[in-house]
Amino acid sequence: MAVSTFLYRLSRWCFRHRWATLLTWLLLVIVTVGAAQSSGGQTDDNFTIPGTESQRAVSVLKEKLPAASGASTQVVFAAPKGHELTESAYRTAVTESVKELGSLPQVAAASNPFQAKLVSPDQKIALTTVNYDALAADVKDSTVNRLRTATQAAEDAGLQVEFSGAVYPKEDAEASSEAIGMAVALVVLLLTFGSFVAAGTPLVTALFGVVISMMGITVLASAFDIASAATAVATMLGLSCGIDYALFILSRHRANLQAGQTPEEAAGRAAGTAGSSVLFAGLSVIIALCGLTVVGIPFLSVMGLTAAATVAVALLIAITLLPALLGFAGDRLNRFSRLPGLRRAKKATETSVSAPERLAGTRWANWVVRRRVPILVLGVLGLGLMAVPATSMDLGLPGADARPTSDTSRRAYDLTSDHFGPGYNGILTIVAEHIDKPAEAQAIAASLGKVDGVASATPAAVTNDIALISVVPTTGPDDSATSNLVHTIRDHRTELAAGTGATLLVGGATATNIDIATKLGDALPVFLVVVIGLAFVLLTFAFRTILVPLKSIIGFLLSAGAAFGAQVAVFQWGWFDETLGVTPSQTLCFLPIILLAIMFGLSSDYEIFVVSRIKEHYTKHGDAHSAAVAGTGLSARVVTAAALIMTSIFIAVMATDDPLTKAIGFSFAVGVFVDAFIVRLALVPAFMAIAGKKIWYHPKWYRRFIPDPDIEGEKLEQRLANAGQAEDTRRAESNAPFVDA
């Protein structure tokens, strides 16, 4: 059975059994919400990669010095202007606060800065480290929330108290940026459909998907480590894909209604035609996201799988729940709003069936095709120029310095840099194994202190056959010089430990970030080859041609390159930083892989939606030139709406203060906008008009061995047309008058 026929039958079944379908999805919502509330799952930002040296250092500490292997919070005490912390009242307040910090649940130790000699040379600030007996993900909220209370004595004395580290008290959650994206999506849908019922339907289906997916991720977070960024990515994709998939099917359904079909038949045919495109588009996104598992990085694999599951839920809802809602709506989906400014949407939609040449999208496609060569050349060159900054990409995990000054960790970072030096924000932890004499630890520390780029090296502990040595770099944690220092110590560890018999491991948060960035950079080419290969197979199967997938891949690379270039220009170079509320820093190390995965899937979405329309016209008329114009014209309006919605959701995400989420939202917004409006609606029709019939070439053996999925619904339409003719003939014969022999 062809895919289009299966979706046609499934849609009609859900349409007829709409109450059962709706209640099933409502029950699933209730079950997931209840499970999430009882699970107590929480996401975290512990990015670790097994097999790296920094992770081996953590394993050694867990075994031999557990107190130093858990999470930590750095507390910064700052004296008022014109005063010093060594004044009696302030010294007493700090000491009392440290005592309170040490008595908190899960706290293994809290260092006294006066005893640890962590008072700045100008006596203005002091640093206290709070060590926990648990990893960051396992430190309870109740403990974190009491950090402020524990330092109340210092604040009452007039001291400024700030927090940073793996665990620290954060500000209250901001207003939902997703709500802003939903509001923008509603406006775009109203302008597209001119109907409140039609505009609201994709939002309802998207909300079903997001609620189920987010609650499912919360349940999984109770058993697995899931990064906070995973929920941000999954939410963005759940909303955007959920709205887009419903939008494409709903648009075809309304066109079918205007052609005179019954609501049930219109829903079935919409699923068999546009629904087939949605199915392959969703599969392309899912394949790309599941491809993240090939890089062998646990938190990235989990992020990809959770996002893929979210897209899968959105896809299932589009082909089951949406037809049921179409059944409830009936003919009301064809009633246009009389609100000012929305009447044009009515005219454009009505003409989409009877006179596609009058569509604004068709006029645009005609303009593009007439100027196909210069548009193709200028488009490729322009996107190439946008990608140039990407050659300067510096991968890392942006730290507190990338956060806004409203965040306590940023204020703690600035105070520490100003009074101690930037290196104190990126202290390296050297784990020396097979050593039990303090003198040997002192000798290694002395050797480390002579290395270029080291401000100081101090033994912190000697126990259980290991020694801890704290190395303070002269540069900050995001500085390339600090990364070079880590590699220098590792490359010369034998000489640095000469005469002691010790084995040195370089760990700590800064070394961990460097290891993660290096591993991700090395995994990028492998991931790109795997994902492109899998998607090439899928698109070749969908369109039964080789040139279309190749064109799609090249277009994707242009879009991704432009997104990377914009990311570097803004988030590294600082272009428009004040306007966008960005603090220049490194490029988020896992952003390139995430962006490639999602951008490839989303670009395949638009490729399938546009090219399936072009192929549909070409299959019926055999004119490649007019097919490029007509297919692009018929898909332009809905692709434009989908891209605007998706871009708006990604832009809305940038309202957050979290630099990681902001970087992800910005990159996705640029990538989607460029891919939809420049690549798919300009370069694709231009190239297909130039290629002509050759674009549909495939080897002769392909037709014999590869089944036709009927993505454009041609076989379905033909079968239904034949069935209709047979029914008309039967009725005519049954109504014919009897003739006597």
Side-chain angles (χ1 to χ4, degrees), residues 345-436:
K346 172 183 177 179
K347 294 179 181 179
T349 309
E350 287 174 339
T351 58
S352 64
V353 178
S354 59
E357 67 278 359
R358 293 166 54 188
L359 288 171
T362 304
R363 293 195 295 272
W364 162 257
N366 259 317
W367 186 87
V368 168
V369 169
R370 284 199 303 269
R371 299 163 178 82
R372 50 190 176 273
V373 174
I375 284 179
L376 187 63
V377 172
L378 290 175
V380 172
L381 289 177
L383 294 180
L385 287 175
M386 284 187 66
V388 169
T391 58
S392 301
M393 187 178 295
D394 178 22
L395 297 180
L397 274 175
D401 58 323
R403 295 184 176 276
T405 54
S406 59
D407 191 288
T408 183
S409 67
R410 170 62 185 276
R411 295 193 295 270
Y413 183 99
D414 291 341
L415 284 169
T416 303
S417 295
D418 293 341
H419 296 275
F420 276 98
Y424 274 83
N425 285 303
I427 296 176
L428 305 177
T429 300
I430 309 298
V431 179
E433 295 184 272
H434 315 303
I435 187 171
D436 55 7

Side-chain angles (χ1 to χ4, degrees), residues 90-256:
Y90 297 141
R91 189 184 187 100
T92 300
V94 170
T95 301
E96 183 178 342
S97 295
V98 170
K99 183 178 178 181
E100 289 295 322
L101 288 169
S103 65
L104 293 178
Q106 297 184 284
V107 172
S111 63
N112 188 311
F114 301 106
Q115 296 174 359
K117 298 181 180 180
L118 285 176
V119 179
S120 63
D122 60 6
Q123 311 292 308
K124 296 295 185 182
I125 75 166
L127 305 181
T128 291
T129 301
V130 179
N131 292 310
Y132 301 92
D133 58 11
L135 297 176
D138 300 322
V139 178
K140 298 178 181 179
D141 287 342
S142 57
T143 298
V144 179
N145 293 335
R146 289 176 63 183
L147 290 173
R148 286 282 185 195
T149 306
T151 57
Q152 192 62 48
E155 292 190 0
D156 290 344
L159 297 176
Q160 179 183 356
V161 182
E162 305 295 351
F163 303 86
S164 65
V167 176
Y168 67 92
K170 297 179 173 64
E171 300 296 328
D172 295 335
E174 304 161 346
S176 174
S177 57
E178 288 79 10
I180 301 174
M182 292 287 283
V184 175
L186 178 60
V187 173
V188 174
L189 289 169
L190 280 172
L191 293 173
T192 301
F193 291 123
S195 165
F196 283 105
V197 176
T201 301
L203 298 181
V204 171
T205 56
L207 285 174
F208 265 85
V210 169
V211 170
I212 292 172
S213 300
M214 291 304 101
M215 295 302 102
I217 290 175
T218 301
V219 173
L220 291 175
S222 63
F224 303 96
D225 288 334
I226 298 180
S228 300
T231 60
V233 171
T235 301
M236 287 189 291
L237 283 179
L239 285 176
S240 54
C241 289
I243 293 174
D244 279 6
Y245 296 160
L247 171 62
F248 283 106
I249 296 175
L250 180 58
S251 178
R252 186 65 71 94
H253 173 72
R254 294 231 306 174
N256 292 340

Side-chain angles (χ1 to χ4, degrees), residues 644-716:
L644 287 176
I645 290 170
M646 193 170 287
T647 303
S648 299
I649 291 174
F650 292 151
I651 290 176
V653 169
M654 292 184 64
T656 180
D657 285 336
D658 179 33
L660 306 188
T661 304
K662 182 171 289 191
I664 292 173
F666 175 81
S667 302
F668 288 1
V670 172
V672 167
F673 188 87
V674 167
D675 192 82
F677 294 107
I678 298 179
V679 176
R680 307 305 161 185
L681 293 180
L683 301 187
V684 165
F687 178 80
M688 296 189 76
I690 293 173
K693 294 182 179 181
K694 295 179 181 178
I695 195 70
W696 304 114
Y697 166 79
H698 60 267
K700 293 181 180 179
W701 58 264
Y702 196 89
R703 184 182 296 273
R704 295 197 305 270
F705 294 103
I706 306 299
D708 185 356
D710 191 29
I711 188 174
E712 71 277 5
E714 176 197 1
K715 292 182 179 179
L716 173 65

